[in-house]
Amino acid sequence: MMERTLAAAATTKIGEKVRLNGWVNRRRDHGKIVFIDLRDRSGIIQAVFTDPLSKQPEVEELRAEYAVEITGIVVER
């Protein structure tokens, strides 16, 4: 089982797979790419969903203040 990572700590884990839990602070849909600002007690981090992930029903339904768990690879911005 993968250990949960705080948003603030994820920035030091570039290239690693992490699991983030928090609330959707903001969602921006640009067609083939969706940005989610995920907020937890340590701060805010941006999750990016590209085609075909951006078209998944779970991603399309996300709205502000939804509680979510996201697993993915940390990429330097």
Side-chain angles (χ1 to χ4, degrees):
M1 183 172 170
M2 184 183 307
E3 188 174 316
R4 181 175 71 107
T5 304
L6 294 174
T11 58
T12 64
K13 298 182 180 280
I14 295 172
E16 295 181 36
K17 187 175 184 177
V18 298
R19 185 179 81 187
L20 300 169
N21 295 72
W23 296 270
V24 175
N25 196 60
R26 186 168 178 212
R27 179 184 187 277
R28 296 178 307 285
D29 190 340
H30 295 270
K32 293 186 177 189
I33 189 167
V34 174
F35 298 97
I36 301 292
D37 293 339
L38 183 68
R39 183 182 82 242
D40 69 9
R41 67 180 184 209
S42 69
I44 296 177
I45 195 162
Q46 185 179 73
V48 180
F49 298 89
T50 57
D51 246 0
L53 286 177
S54 65
K55 299 303 177 199
Q56 294 293 319
E58 297 87 0
V59 176
E60 288 187 346
E61 293 174 7
L62 289 177
R63 297 293 178 257
E65 297 304 317
Y66 278 28
V68 297
E69 177 178 283
I70 297 174
T71 302
I73 306 294
V74 178
V75 179
E76 189 171 14
R77 192 171 176 190

